Amino acid sequence: MKTFTLAQLAEFLGADLKGDAQLVVRGLGTLEAAEADQVSFLSNPKYVSFLSITRAGAVLIKPEQVADFSGNALLMSNPYLGFARLTHLFDDPRPSTGERHPSAIIDPQAQLDPSVHVGPGAVIEAGCKLAAGVVVGAQCYLGKDCELGENTLLNPRVTLYRRTQIGKDCIIHSGAVIGADGFGFAPTGQGWEKIAQLGRVVIEDQVEVGANTTIDRGALGDTHIGRNVKIDNQVMIAHNVQVGEGTAMAAFVGISGSTKIGSNCLLGGSSGYAGHISICDNVQITGMGMVTGNITEPGTYSSGTGLLPSNHWRKSAVRFRQLDELSQKVRRLEKRLDNQDDNS
Amino acid sequence: MKTFTLAQLAEFLGADLKGDAQLVVRGLGTLEAAEADQVSFLSNPKYVSFLSITRAGAVLIKPEQVADFSGNALLMSNPYLGFARLTHLFDDPRPSTGERHPSAIIDPQAQLDPSVHVGPGAVIEAGCKLAAGVVVGAQCYLGKDCELGENTLLNPRVTLYRRTQIGKDCIIHSGAVIGADGFGFAPTGQGWEKIAQLGRVVIEDQVEVGANTTIDRGALGDTHIGRNVKIDNQVMIAHNVQVGEGTAMAAFVGISGSTKIGSNCLLGGSSGYAGHISICDNVQITGMGMVTGNITEPGTYSSGTGLLPSNHWRKSAVRFRQLDELSQKVRRLEKRLDNQDDNS
Amino acid sequence: MKTFTLAQLAEFLGADLKGDAQLVVRGLGTLEAAEADQVSFLSNPKYVSFLSITRAGAVLIKPEQVADFSGNALLMSNPYLGFARLTHLFDDPRPSTGERHPSAIIDPQAQLDPSVHVGPGAVIEAGCKLAAGVVVGAQCYLGKDCELGENTLLNPRVTLYRRTQIGKDCIIHSGAVIGADGFGFAPTGQGWEKIAQLGRVVIEDQVEVGANTTIDRGALGDTHIGRNVKIDNQVMIAHNVQVGEGTAMAAFVGISGSTKIGSNCLLGGSSGYAGHISICDNVQITGMGMVTGNITEPGTYSSGTGLLPSNHWRKSAVRFRQLDELSQKVRRLEKRLDNQDDNS
């Protein structure tokens, strides 16, 4: 177990320290659960009352909160960011560099920097280029001519189809499938003619891809994921989608073919996007949002109906079917009243 | 192929037997499809008319239904439960105990009971503890320090990240990823700072996890799945979620971070749950339900709108946008009529 | 890189050629992006204006469009189908026949045609039968007694549970899990009794199954996927579902147990289907459609509400809850007016 003094943490964060610089810190915890050898943080003002009852050895707070807290404190303008940085000190180490498990099958025509780590059972096909510090977890499969930038980490059992390109400092989680065929078929009259998918998936630096997420390769051009995009588990990104920098998407987001998502968007869980549409920068879609057309104005958008007890819901759902009639009925009532007024 | 006499099945179930005790039974079937050497069951009263036409060699029925059926019968108060128990007699056997495929890669620092089965290509890292009767299917990956309780079955190609804990008598299906990083990032102003996920996934006894389901590990504390929880395929459970005992969830359920689901809940397919909310015990959510707030009363809840022919739907959808105006218009009409009444 | 003359492509397609028969073609591209050594196509009349600016070396067009285009052209009544056929000329070749990677683990009791290709780390259990031209990608797992028809391609890391049957000319993508247990449990009063799933998955010829899709095996009978069905990524098909020929389904479609889907249906992304229902042939469901009952008339169906700015949406969502009251209020207003009329 790693330990640090509070002084070491303050230095690491560039934070001001109030209290016992020699306190030994063995981990992190929430205000509610942290022990005396753990550091906690106050970010959401809703939890300010926990400051008086926390058992945490020290708390990351904003300078202006120092009056509210008598314990040891690390003062930062953004305590949540400070907490995020501290987590890495207590994380498990990455696999050691340069190790190649004897059971891994690495094509002699693949080019691996000497520092690359390859786990047991991984398969790396000809033409792959893996830069310094890359980790290929156990049982990963890298098709021909894939390229991975420096320090990119593939967790166990990631699948990359041929020619997938991934930048630096990316993290890909288990079960992700990147570069499978886009879903393209031409109707023949008697069935479907498959359209071979000739493009690639190109992922820029600092992207994270969650477990069991799928990103399909382009039909002609490429599917493109911008820098610093964060993708949760079980997301589906279809062929030729373009995602702008810094956009984050929660689980079960589904983006149909050729759609463009702007930069710095937040796509809520299970939100769905029609094909061939364009979403501008700085758009937020709430969970289960159904996006069927272009969005050209930044802002927050929603769809769906709120949860109701099912008996109540059934009544509203029936009325939803009659909504056009109801509206016309109201318009007729208005006219009748207007006529009365005219005649009175 | 296994065969049983009807008398053996009656004894196995503790059921009363009516008819030919020596009948040879070779399998199970529905009332419609069962053959003369198969046993069927009547559970849903909707199908009572099939009793007169079924070719099944025997039928599991309630004692009060015996008058309706002239054939061989096994009498039980809960025929569906009886049927469920019989299925196991005709199922394929589990892999044999104690077998370790030579291609499996088992770290010498892992502790496996002698009866543990390990399939081809499986990887078991240091510090893992596997109890008696555990089956690790082909190509599974178990990260460092995972623990599996007695008789737990991992089907081929299950991935467990480090420190995952699974209880006794669990079944995990192929493609499931348990313990991947929760989706946690702090905004930096220029992008995202990853929050290392320091907790674990803890799964209690008798849990089933479907194919390609993902359960993320906790950020600080653990993600916790209670005893006897049944999880279908392609479910997504985010970091620090707590699920109470006996809850069942259908495919594509998505539960966001830190949400608590009560005991004995039934979560319909594709239903979604916002983060940091709490659902009490004995709640049922219908398919595609959108749950954005706490639920404190047991009962059944729904959201969404019913399916309509698209032309009709479009009209209702347009009116949905105008619903607030429509309500205000109706209120104004009421006032005008009220004013008339006052003035008359 | 493969090259063809325009004359060769015309012959391959059976298309009429206008222009330079000796033009060397090195690939395909969209009207916007194609270069002088690439062929493009005009299918959607929306893009007809691109004909005048494209740099493509030749364009696939309809004979009646020939007047609109001065460049080299291939004339076909269905240019999109022609394009689909051309893509295969420029696709990567399938893995070579007859190769068995030494790391693959093939049970001596499995029957493989000599031409079968088996990639590294694949596991093929006893009783499997693989016909001529089958490709088993790296790290696939085939449980006991699976059967694959001629030329079927399993991409890397496909999992087939025991007794799965797949026809000819199918393509299965990475991470797909076919034949896992259906989600069947009988309530015991204290919890759940698992129902062993004794059926199979049967997939007919020319079916494509997307990455990380799951198709569960039947409880008693089989789950059945008809000929020429096309299934996108991350689809979930539950036990005993029947899908008719030629039906296509987009990502995140979820079909609950025992439901029958007709032939030539188009199931939109994230649309969901209740269990034990029946959808007739030639039905189209739009994205996120919620299908809870039988559909007996061909046509297009939808559900949900359109996307709105969240502030606006919140107002409509509140009014949705009050929709039954609103309708009753309008009816009362009508009566009051009717009474006035009667009294006047």
Side-chain angles (χ1 to χ4, degrees):
Chain A
M1 182 173 287
K2 296 167 217 167
T3 63
F4 302 87
T5 63
L6 198 55
Q8 286 173 316
L9 298 185
E11 196 190 339
F12 173 76
L13 292 174
D16 288 329
L17 189 158
K18 183 196 129 194
D20 179 5
Q22 294 317 307
L23 179 82
V24 175
V25 177
R26 295 194 169 78
L28 305 173
T30 60
L31 284 173
E32 252 183 307
E35 304 289 342
D37 58 354
Q38 294 181 319
V39 167
S40 189
F41 66 100
L42 175 65
S43 161
N44 189 333
K46 215 170 78 176
Y47 297 122
V48 71
S49 64
F50 283 107
L51 277 185
S52 58
I53 57 159
T54 186
R55 294 181 312 257
V59 179
L60 265 163
I61 54 177
K62 293 185 188 183
E64 58 267 36
Q65 289 160 333
V66 76
D68 300 330
F69 185 54
S70 58
N72 300 316
L74 296 170
L75 308 179
M76 281 185 80
S77 60
N78 189 341
Y80 191 54
L81 182 56
F83 158 71
R85 289 186 180 145
L86 286 186
T87 59
H88 298 280
L89 299 180
F90 296 96
D91 198 12
D92 298 272
R94 284 166 70 111
S96 56
T97 59
E99 211 172 88
R100 312 274 162 93
H101 196 277
S103 65
I105 295 158
I106 305 170
D107 191 283
Q109 314 252 3
Q111 297 173 39
L112 279 66
D113 183 274
S115 63
V116 168
H117 173 106
V118 183
V123 175
I124 301 176
E125 301 279 17
C128 287
K129 290 184 191 170
L130 280 56
V134 161
V135 173
V136 176
Q139 303 166 331
C140 285
Y141 176 80
L142 281 67
K144 284 183 185 162
D145 301 317
C146 291
E147 298 190 21
L148 304 183
E150 285 171 30
N151 294 318
T152 280
L153 166 65
L154 306 185
N155 281 285
R157 203 164 62 75
V158 164
T159 302
L160 308 182
Y161 279 55
R162 60 189 177 275
R163 292 199 308 275
T164 296
Q165 293 230 306
I166 302 181
K168 299 180 202 175
D169 300 316
C170 293
I171 299 175
I172 318 290
H173 284 283
S174 295
V177 177
I178 302 178
D181 288 0
F183 195 62
F185 301 89
T188 63
Q190 279 91 45
W192 302 101
E193 172 83 22
K194 181 175 173 72
I195 299 170
Q197 304 288 302
L198 305 176
R200 301 173 302 168
V201 174
V202 176
I203 295 178
E204 302 292 346
D205 300 343
Q206 293 171 32
V207 169
E208 183 152 344
V209 175
N212 285 348
T213 280
T214 56
I215 306 176
D216 281 353
R217 72 175 183 270
L220 290 172
D222 297 328
T223 303
H224 188 268
I225 310 295
R227 208 170 148 278
N228 215 357
V229 167
K230 306 299 179 185
I231 301 173
D232 198 359
N233 297 350
Q234 299 197 53
V235 165
M236 162 61 189
I237 299 179
H239 48 182
N240 298 101
V241 165
Q242 314 285 319
V243 180
E245 290 191 10
T247 284
M249 44 187 97
F252 293 131
V253 162
I255 309 177
S256 304
S258 300
T259 281
K260 287 187 193 184
I261 306 288
S263 297
N264 302 314
C265 293
L266 297 172
L267 310 186
S270 299
S271 56
Y273 302 79
H276 297 271
I277 63 173
S278 179
I279 310 301
C280 69
D281 298 346
N282 298 304
V283 165
Q284 182 167 358
I285 306 293
T286 58
M288 297 180 119
M290 176 167 78
V291 186
T292 56
N294 295 335
I295 299 180
T296 57
E297 290 292 323
T300 303
Y301 297 83
S302 303
S303 69
T305 78
L307 197 76
L308 291 169
S310 299
N311 285 337
H312 181 168
W313 172 78
R314 242 170 257 122
K315 288 181 190 168
S316 287
V318 165
R319 297 303 187 185
F320 179 83
R321 294 174 190 229
Q322 306 160 346
L323 213 42
D324 192 50
E325 292 160 57
L326 182 69
S327 289
Q328 289 175 18
K329 207 179 274 184
V330 170
R331 164 163 291 207
R332 283 195 300 270
L333 290 177
E334 273 181 319
K335 282 200 182 144
R336 285 170 69 178
L337 272 170
D338 290 349
N339 285 341
Q340 286 188 350
D341 289 357
D342 290 349
N343 297 340
S344 67
Chain B
M1 183 174 285
K2 295 168 217 165
T3 64
F4 302 87
T5 63
L6 198 56
Q8 287 174 316
L9 298 185
E11 197 191 336
F12 172 75
L13 291 174
D16 289 330
L17 189 157
K18 185 195 126 194
D20 179 6
Q22 295 316 309
L23 179 82
V24 175
V25 178
R26 292 193 170 79
L28 305 173
T30 60
L31 285 172
E32 253 184 305
E35 303 289 343
D37 59 353
Q38 294 182 317
V39 168
S40 190
F41 66 100
L42 175 65
S43 160
N44 189 334
K46 216 168 78 177
Y47 298 121
V48 71
S49 65
F50 285 108
L51 278 185
S52 58
I53 56 159
T54 186
R55 294 182 313 256
V59 180
L60 265 163
I61 55 177
K62 293 186 190 183
E64 58 267 35
Q65 290 160 334
V66 76
D68 300 332
F69 185 55
S70 58
N72 300 316
L74 296 171
L75 308 178
M76 282 185 80
S77 59
N78 188 341
Y80 191 53
L81 182 56
F83 159 70
R85 288 186 181 144
L86 287 186
T87 59
H88 298 281
L89 299 180
F90 297 95
D91 198 11
D92 298 272
R94 284 165 69 110
S96 57
T97 59
E99 211 172 271
R100 313 275 162 91
H101 196 278
S103 65
I105 295 158
I106 304 171
D107 191 284
Q109 314 252 2
Q111 297 173 39
L112 278 68
D113 183 273
S115 64
V116 168
H117 174 105
V118 184
V123 175
I124 301 176
E125 301 277 17
C128 287
K129 290 182 191 170
L130 279 57
V134 161
V135 173
V136 176
Q139 302 166 333
C140 284
Y141 176 80
L142 281 66
K144 283 182 184 163
D145 301 316
C146 290
E147 299 191 20
L148 303 184
E150 286 171 28
N151 295 317
T152 279
L153 166 65
L154 306 186
N155 281 285
R157 204 165 62 75
V158 165
T159 303
L160 309 183
Y161 278 56
R162 60 187 178 276
R163 290 199 308 276
T164 295
Q165 293 230 306
I166 301 181
K168 299 179 202 174
D169 300 315
C170 293
I171 298 175
I172 317 290
H173 283 284
S174 296
V177 177
I178 302 179
D181 289 1
F183 195 63
F185 301 89
T188 64
Q190 279 91 47
W192 303 101
E193 172 83 22
K194 182 176 174 69
I195 299 170
Q197 303 289 301
L198 305 175
R200 301 172 303 169
V201 173
V202 176
I203 294 178
E204 302 293 346
D205 300 344
Q206 293 171 33
V207 170
E208 185 153 343
V209 176
N212 285 348
T213 280
T214 57
I215 306 177
D216 280 353
R217 70 175 186 270
L220 290 173
D222 298 329
T223 303
H224 188 269
I225 310 295
R227 209 170 147 277
N228 215 357
V229 167
K230 305 300 177 186
I231 302 173
D232 199 358
N233 297 351
Q234 299 198 52
V235 165
M236 162 60 189
I237 299 180
H239 48 182
N240 298 100
V241 165
Q242 316 286 316
V243 181
E245 289 190 11
T247 285
M249 46 187 95
F252 292 133
V253 162
I255 308 177
S256 303
S258 300
T259 281
K260 287 186 193 182
I261 306 288
S263 296
N264 303 313
C265 292
L266 297 173
L267 311 186
S270 298
S271 58
Y273 302 80
H276 298 272
I277 63 173
S278 179
I279 310 302
C280 69
D281 297 347
N282 299 304
V283 165
Q284 182 167 358
I285 306 292
T286 58
M288 297 182 121
M290 176 168 78
V291 186
T292 56
N294 295 335
I295 298 180
T296 58
E297 292 291 325
T300 303
Y301 297 83
S302 303
S303 69
T305 79
L307 196 77
L308 291 169
S310 299
N311 284 337
H312 181 169
W313 172 78
R314 239 169 258 123
K315 288 181 188 169
S316 287
V318 165
R319 296 304 187 185
F320 179 83
R321 295 175 188 228
Q322 305 160 346
L323 213 41
D324 192 51
E325 291 160 59
L326 181 69
S327 291
Q328 288 175 17
K329 205 179 275 183
V330 170
R331 163 162 291 206
R332 282 194 301 271
L333 290 177
E334 273 181 319
K335 282 200 184 144
R336 285 171 69 178
L337 272 170
D338 291 347
N339 285 340
Q340 286 188 349
D341 289 356
D342 291 349
N343 296 342
S344 68
Chain C
M1 184 173 285
K2 296 167 219 167
T3 63
F4 303 87
T5 63
L6 198 55
Q8 287 174 314
L9 298 185
E11 196 190 339
F12 172 76
L13 292 174
D16 288 330
L17 190 156
K18 185 195 127 194
D20 179 4
Q22 296 316 309
L23 178 81
V24 175
V25 177
R26 293 193 170 79
L28 305 172
T30 60
L31 285 171
E32 251 184 306
E35 302 289 342
D37 58 354
Q38 295 182 317
V39 167
S40 190
F41 66 101
L42 175 64
S43 160
N44 189 334
K46 215 169 79 177
Y47 298 122
V48 70
S49 64
F50 284 108
L51 278 184
S52 59
I53 56 160
T54 187
R55 296 181 311 258
V59 180
L60 265 162
I61 54 177
K62 294 185 190 183
E64 60 266 35
Q65 289 159 334
V66 74
D68 300 331
F69 185 55
S70 57
N72 301 315
L74 296 171
L75 308 178
M76 282 184 80
S77 59
N78 189 340
Y80 192 52
L81 182 56
F83 159 70
R85 289 188 180 142
L86 286 186
T87 59
H88 298 281
L89 298 180
F90 297 95
D91 198 11
D92 298 273
R94 285 166 69 111
S96 56
T97 58
E99 208 173 272
R100 311 275 161 92
H101 196 276
S103 65
I105 295 158
I106 304 171
D107 191 284
Q109 313 252 2
Q111 297 173 39
L112 279 66
D113 183 274
S115 64
V116 169
H117 174 106
V118 183
V123 175
I124 301 176
E125 301 278 16
C128 287
K129 289 182 193 172
L130 280 57
V134 162
V135 173
V136 176
Q139 303 167 333
C140 284
Y141 176 81
L142 281 67
K144 284 182 184 161
D145 301 316
C146 290
E147 298 190 20
L148 304 184
E150 286 170 29
N151 294 318
T152 279
L153 166 65
L154 307 185
N155 281 285
R157 204 163 62 74
V158 165
T159 302
L160 308 182
Y161 279 55
R162 59 188 178 278
R163 293 199 306 277
T164 295
Q165 293 230 305
I166 301 180
K168 299 180 204 175
D169 300 316
C170 293
I171 299 175
I172 317 290
H173 284 283
S174 295
V177 177
I178 302 179
D181 289 0
F183 195 63
F185 300 89
T188 64
Q190 279 90 45
W192 302 101
E193 172 84 22
K194 181 176 174 70
I195 298 170
Q197 304 289 301
L198 305 176
R200 302 172 301 169
V201 173
V202 176
I203 295 177
E204 302 293 346
D205 299 344
Q206 292 172 31
V207 170
E208 184 153 343
V209 175
N212 285 348
T213 280
T214 57
I215 305 176
D216 281 353
R217 72 174 184 270
L220 290 172
D222 297 329
T223 303
H224 188 268
I225 309 295
R227 207 170 148 280
N228 216 357
V229 167
K230 305 299 178 186
I231 302 173
D232 198 358
N233 296 351
Q234 300 198 51
V235 165
M236 162 59 190
I237 298 180
H239 49 181
N240 299 99
V241 165
Q242 314 287 316
V243 181
E245 290 190 10
T247 285
M249 45 187 97
F252 292 132
V253 162
I255 308 177
S256 304
S258 300
T259 281
K260 285 185 194 184
I261 306 288
S263 295
N264 302 314
C265 293
L266 297 173
L267 311 186
S270 298
S271 57
Y273 302 80
H276 298 271
I277 64 173
S278 179
I279 310 301
C280 68
D281 297 347
N282 298 304
V283 165
Q284 182 167 357
I285 306 293
T286 58
M288 297 181 122
M290 175 168 78
V291 186
T292 57
N294 295 333
I295 299 180
T296 57
E297 291 292 324
T300 303
Y301 297 82
S302 303
S303 70
T305 78
L307 197 76
L308 291 169
S310 299
N311 285 337
H312 181 169
W313 171 79
R314 241 170 258 123
K315 288 181 188 168
S316 287
V318 165
R319 297 303 188 185
F320 179 82
R321 294 175 190 230
Q322 305 160 347
L323 212 42
D324 192 51
E325 292 161 57
L326 182 68
S327 290
Q328 290 175 18
K329 207 179 272 181
V330 170
R331 164 163 289 208
R332 283 195 300 270
L333 290 178
E334 274 181 319
K335 281 199 184 145
R336 285 170 71 177
L337 271 170
D338 290 348
N339 285 340
Q340 286 188 352
D341 288 356
D342 291 347
N343 296 340
S344 69

